[in-house]
Each structure stands twice: as structure tokens, then as C-alpha cells.
Amino acid sequence: MKKAPQTNQSNPDYSGLSAEELLTILTERDAQLEQVVVERDKTISNQQRVIKLLEEQLRLATIRKFATSSEKLPFQITLFDEAEMEVALDELEEQLPQSSQTPTTSKKKRNRGFPDALPRKRIELCLSAAEKAGASSTFFSKVKEELEYIPAQLNVLEYWQEKAVFNVDGQEQIIAAPRPNHPLNKCFAHVSLLAYIMVAKYADGLPLYRLEGMLKRYGNPVSRTNMANWIIRLNDVFKPLINLIREHQNQGHYINADETRIQVLKENGRSIQSDKWMWVTCGGPPGQPSVLFEYDPSRAGAIPERLLADFKGVLQADGYSGYASICQKNQLQRIGCWDHARRKFVEAIRAADPKSKRTKGKPSKADVAVAKIRKLYRIEAAIADCSDAEKYRKRQELSVPLLNEFKIWLETNVTKVLKGSQTRKAMEYTLNQWEYLIGYCDLGYVNISNAKAENAIRPFAVGRKAWLFADTAHGARASATCYSLIETAKANQLEPYSYIRYVLEHIGSADTLEKIEALLPWNVPLERNLKSAPVYGKGQ
């Protein structure tokens, strides 16, 4: 057999080869080149996919950092005016209760008057004697109302204790009038100041350094160190009351749960940068709603096991797997949150390439998903005032068919979307959580979303932007206690300052279970929906 001549790759020499041998070599070379082209195209395709995903993640990260956090999209009006969507919504509207067919976005009629609970001062604008001389009669008519602001002030309360001296068997005995109980014993802050500090920091989001400056302007500086120490010491004072509220909450049949990050600088065994968590649960028996915060450096399933140890009802939360153990242990029925599912699609829309087809009039798959979810919320808005039994009936009649249709659409389209993209993640999350997401249709008293817990945790998130972090775990736990009392007061239509002050005035002498139960927000003798300013004493 004739041996092929030696060649080099850069300048091969094919002289001396037969036509058949040359054809074989060229065929092999073409196959190799074709394989190289295929591998190159595959590499480019993968690189383009990675670039697309990175660009999407970059846009989403930029939006999260700099853009508004609202889930309302600038193109929603035009998107939802789509003929198919509007026809479906119109048909849905016809099936809803007649009393619920008014648009949910209609503005309520404004009440221009001020609340009756506000104290009023009558200011009479009088005619002069000359102006009303000869008049047969005079009268007053109210022509205007104005809202007056009275600046805060600091007073020094001097306690003078009366003492009586008795001569008994030739010896003097002194009897003194009892001193009022103070929850912190040795403390120069009156309970009114303690209540103000708690509400200003945890209800209004004012950091202690701002409160320090405000109190200085009012006439007497109070250091932020003193205020922080008072809050931490009050945590032990409030603990029996918090424990009792937790027991009452777990006696209910429906709890909403959520958790959010908190930075704690000094936590044993954990770095400053590591995530720590603030947990929140909302629930309780009828007429006894409560909102409880709990700090823990861990997000493990052991935390909800501890918080919900005695709970036997329905738990609504997001898709976090940490709730699985308590649900299995206590046989809890778990309900998902459509807000979380919808939010993932909204993020996909906001992170989409601005040059995508959606901007040319064709909605993306994330757009369609949001529109389908919107139909479910439209039903919930329409039946909001219905009884639990009517809600169940309407959900079975209207929501279940839409959910079945939505699931089929998700299963059909999920593989058509780029793997790893925000839209694909949203679709996969929704399908993975489907069993929990549809559970609300089986219970009329359950909500479509976990908004109750998210709304409860929002004041903490807002305050966190002002004070940024907690210095120690003790401070984080004290913050959880303060948030619990304030948000529970609000859930029971109590003005937070009035409730906190009432508790501080009585908890020092609450030495029995009955006295502590009397401090529960649904037991205190305070006005609900209280709007008037607190009264500090006679003559003020």
C-alpha cells in the first residue's frame, strides 16, 4: 500500500495521492470543520444565553436598588385593555354579586369634617357693640374648622410623699403614703416618656439619635444610651404579657407567618454580615387579633416549631421550606401566597430587555401570567364583604376554573422559556407551590395572599431603613417585643401610645395571671379607634 507523504497542518502536501485518497481526506476534513462550526455555534449560543441571563439579573438588581418598590407597572393599563383579557373580566363581572360590581378603584367620598373624638375649642367672632346696636337679636353660626397643633413639652413631676409620725410606747413611728409602682423601679423617665420613646421609634421609625435631639429641643437632653437601656430592660417587664398573647394567638384557627432579615452587629458565633431574622405571626381567636415578632439568628425549621408549638389550624406563608416540619408535626393545613407568585412575574417583566417584543405590542408570557393572576384578585375584591360561606361558593364557581386553566397554560409554556430566566423561575415557583396556592379556595375565611403578615412586617422594614441595624441580640429581642405590642394594639383598633402607656402604668403591680390578662389589648378599658391626644392629667 502506498504511504501518504509527510505533511504539515499549515501547508499540507497532497501530491502523489490518488483521487480516492484525496477525496477521503477532504471528506474527513469537512466533517472535522463542520464539527468545529457546530461546537462554536453551541458555545456562542451558551454564551448568549448566559449574557442574556446576566443582563436580566443586572436590570433586576438595578431596579430593586433604585426604582420604586411598587408592583404597579407603567404599561399595565394598555396591557390589561387587551380585548381578550377585558372580555374575560367583563364576563366574570356578570357572575359576581350585584353589590360588588362597582369598580374597586373608585374613590371613596371624602369626609371633610374632623373626627368627633378630637377635643374642640369654640372661638367666637363677635360684633362690636356699635355694630350690633339696635339689632332685634344676635346668633352665632359655625363658618370654619381648623386643625390646631400643640407642640410637645417636657414637665418635671415632683413626688412629695406625705408622712405621719406616731408616738407608740415612747417611740416614734413613721407611716408614709405609698409610692406608685414604676415598671423599671429606679428610672427618672415617667411611663409617659417611656411610651413615647417606644412609639416614636417603633411606630414612627425615628432612630434614637433623632429622639435625643428632639428631647433636647423640648428642654432636657436624654441620652440615646439611656433610652436604649430602658427599652432593653422593658423587654423583661413585658415578657409575661407577650407569652400570654402568644398562647392566645395559637388558640386561633388561622395564622399568617413571614420572616425578614435584620442585621445584628454582636451575635455570638456569627459574623456581622451574616443574615439574622425577624419572624412575624398574625392570628388569634375571633375578636382577639395579635401580631407577634420574634428575633432569632437562625432561619431553621426549629423556629416555627417553637413559635407554633401549640397551634393546630391553618398556616399561610410563602414558599419557604422551613415551615414544612411544623406543618407535618402538627398536621397543619398550609396555604400559599399569590402575592409572592405574582411578584416573581412582575420582577420578570421589569427585568425584561426593553427591546423585547413586549414593547412592540405583543405581551410576554410574564405579562400574560400577571393578567391571569389579576383575574383571581378581581374576584377577591368583589367578594371581600361576603360571608365565609359565600366566599367559598364563589371561589369554587369562579376561581377554580381560572386556576385550572392557568395551570394548563403554565405546564404548556414553562419549557418554552429560557431556563434560568426570571420568567422561567416564576413559572417553576408557581407550579412547585401549586398545591398550597390553590388551598385558599377550600376555606372561605382564608385570604388569597399572605398580605396580612407582610403588612404587619412593613413597619419593621420601614423602621429598619432609619436605624439600619441592632447592636446586640438583646436589642433585637427588645425591638421584637415593642413591635409586637404596638402592632397588636393597632390590630385591636387601639391608639398605640395610649395602650403602651396603660400597660406601663399597671404592669408593675400585675402580680397574678388575672392582672396580666387584664392588660391584653382586647381586655383593656380603652376607647377603640382612639384619635384624641393623650391626657396627662387635670388642668393640662
Side-chain angles (χ1 to χ4, degrees):
M1 181 176 179
K2 190 174 180 179
K3 193 172 182 179
Q6 297 290 329
T7 63
N8 60 67
Q9 293 181 350
S10 61
N11 189 23
D13 182 9
Y14 297 118
S15 61
L17 296 179
S18 65
E20 290 81 2
E21 292 172 330
L22 183 59
L23 180 61
T24 300
I25 292 174
L26 293 176
T27 301
E28 292 176 353
R29 178 61 61 87
D30 286 344
Q32 292 174 355
L33 290 175
E34 184 176 354
Q35 183 62 31
V36 169
V37 171
V38 170
E39 292 295 329
R40 184 199 64 186
D41 290 344
K42 185 178 180 180
T43 300
I44 293 175
S45 178
N46 287 336
Q47 289 175 340
Q48 290 177 337
R49 173 179 171 274
V50 171
I51 291 172
K52 185 175 181 180
L53 293 177
L54 290 175
E55 287 177 341
E56 186 181 65
Q57 292 175 11
L58 178 60
R59 282 191 295 270
L60 182 59
T62 303
I63 289 169
R64 285 175 173 171
K65 185 171 184 179
F66 298 108
T68 175
S69 60
S70 171
E71 294 180 17
K72 184 176 181 180
L73 303 172
F75 54 83
Q76 275 185 339
I77 294 178
T78 55
L79 167 66
F80 293 145
D81 281 340
E82 214 178 336
E84 184 272 330
M85 296 298 177
E86 288 306 316
V87 169
L89 289 173
D90 289 342
E91 293 175 351
L92 187 63
E93 189 89 352
E94 295 176 0
Q95 304 174 60
L96 296 174
Q98 190 69 27
S99 60
S100 303
Q101 292 186 14
T102 55
T104 57
T105 56
S106 62
K107 295 182 179 179
K108 294 183 178 179
K109 188 176 181 180
R110 284 188 178 182
N111 179 12
R112 295 184 179 274
F114 298 117
D116 293 336
L118 284 176
R120 279 172 159 73
K121 297 178 182 177
R122 176 165 172 151
I123 299 176
E124 296 183 351
L125 307 175
C126 300
L127 296 168
S128 67
E131 288 173 328
K132 58 184 178 181
S136 60
S137 65
T138 62
F139 65 94
F140 286 92
S141 63
K142 185 167 68 174
V143 294
K144 186 181 181 182
E145 285 188 347
E146 290 181 342
L147 195 62
E148 179 189 29
Y149 170 70
I150 301 175
Q153 66 180 30
L154 294 176
N155 296 326
V156 178
L157 302 181
E158 297 181 348
Y159 291 89
W160 290 71
Q161 188 180 43
E162 185 176 15
K163 300 179 180 180
V165 180
F166 296 89
N167 290 316
V168 179
D169 298 330
Q171 295 183 350
E172 289 186 347
Q173 291 186 357
I174 299 177
I175 297 178
R179 297 174 60 178
N181 286 318
H182 193 289
L184 296 181
N185 293 323
K186 293 183 178 179
C187 177
F188 67 81
H190 187 259
V191 291
S192 61
L193 179 58
L194 295 177
Y196 169 71
I197 292 170
M198 284 180 57
V199 172
K201 178 174 172 60
Y202 297 105
D204 301 327
L206 294 177
L208 294 182
Y209 78 88
R210 291 185 188 173
L211 287 171
E212 183 179 41
M214 292 168 63
L215 292 173
K216 184 177 181 180
R217 293 199 307 270
Y218 295 158
N220 188 82
V222 178
S223 73
R224 70 192 78 173
T225 301
N226 275 336
M227 290 187 278
N229 287 335
W230 294 336
I231 292 172
I232 290 175
R233 289 171 61 193
L234 283 172
N235 185 51
D236 291 333
V237 174
F238 290 133
K239 188 176 292 294
L241 180 59
I242 293 294
N243 291 340
L244 195 56
I245 295 176
R246 175 76 65 187
E247 291 179 12
H248 277 263
Q249 186 180 91
N250 285 343
Q251 291 173 9
H253 61 276
Y254 177 30
I255 283 182
N256 299 82
D258 200 3
E259 69 286 336
T260 189
R261 292 175 177 84
I262 178 175
Q263 186 177 16
V264 179
L265 301 184
K266 301 171 184 176
E267 177 65 66
N268 292 334
R270 292 181 177 266
S271 66
I272 295 176
Q273 294 79 13
S274 65
D275 288 334
K276 294 90 176 178
W277 299 90
M278 187 69 80
W279 299 75
V280 64
T281 55
C282 309
Q288 299 178 356
S290 59
V291 181
L292 290 173
F293 288 75
E294 181 86 4
Y295 165 73
D296 200 285
S298 171
R299 203 189 182 197
I303 312 306
E305 282 191 25
R306 171 167 56 83
L307 300 180
L308 305 171
D310 301 324
F311 180 59
K312 302 296 182 182
V314 175
L315 175 65
Q316 187 165 32
D318 58 19
Y320 174 50
S321 60
Y323 296 103
S325 58
I326 185 61
C327 289
Q328 183 178 9
K329 184 176 181 180
N330 285 15
Q331 296 297 301
L332 305 180
Q333 181 174 353
R334 183 170 177 178
I335 305 295
C337 173
W338 273 105
D339 276 5
H340 280 76
R342 180 183 61 183
R343 190 172 298 130
K344 293 182 182 298
F345 286 109
V346 170
E347 289 182 344
I349 294 172
R350 301 178 77 183
D353 186 353
K355 299 178 181 179
S356 65
K357 294 181 180 179
R358 177 175 56 79
T359 60
K360 299 178 182 179
K362 182 179 179 181
S364 67
K365 287 182 170 56
D367 293 329
V368 175
V370 170
K372 290 180 179 293
I373 296 173
R374 179 176 176 253
K375 293 180 183 180
L376 301 173
Y377 278 85
R378 184 76 168 264
I379 295 172
E380 294 304 304
I383 65 176
D385 297 328
C386 295
S387 65
D388 292 345
E390 181 66 9
K391 285 182 180 179
Y392 169 78
R393 190 182 69 81
K394 283 297 181 182
R395 287 170 177 172
Q396 292 296 313
E397 176 186 350
L398 304 175
S399 301
V400 170
L402 293 178
L403 287 165
N404 293 336
E405 175 190 327
F406 188 23
K407 185 181 182 184
I408 293 173
W409 181 87
L410 287 170
E411 292 172 337
T412 302
N413 288 278
V414 65
T415 56
K416 300 178 182 179
V417 181
L418 179 64
K419 190 174 183 179
S421 67
Q422 296 299 320
T423 300
R424 179 72 172 262
K425 290 178 180 178
M427 297 173 82
E428 290 174 342
Y429 173 88
T430 305
L431 287 171
N432 291 337
Q433 293 292 314
W434 193 258
E435 176 187 357
Y436 305 132
L437 289 172
I438 64 175
Y440 79 98
C441 289
D442 296 328
L443 299 167
Y445 60 85
V446 171
N447 298 318
I448 189 173
S449 74
N450 198 33
K452 189 173 182 180
E454 292 193 359
N455 291 338
I457 216 168
R458 186 170 288 113
F460 168 80
V462 172
R464 181 177 53 192
K465 293 180 181 179
W467 43 261
L468 300 180
F469 57 83
D471 185 50
T472 66
H474 293 298
R477 293 189 182 96
S479 296
T481 295
C482 293
Y483 277 115
S484 297
L485 293 175
I486 289 171
E487 294 305 314
T488 297
K490 289 159 63 176
N492 287 271
Q493 292 83 48
L494 293 173
E495 196 280 312
Y497 174 87
S498 298
Y499 175 66
I500 298 298
R501 176 171 176 168
Y502 182 88
V503 171
L504 289 172
E505 287 173 343
H506 295 84
I507 199 167
S509 58
D511 52 2
T512 65
L513 178 60
E514 290 74 16
K515 290 181 180 179
I516 297 176
E517 286 183 334
L519 300 179
L520 292 169
W522 43 87
N523 290 336
V524 294
L526 294 175
E527 182 180 352
R528 309 290 149 169
N529 293 315
L530 188 63
K531 301 296 183 182
S532 59
V535 178
Y536 291 91
K538 295 181 179 180
Q540 296 185 354

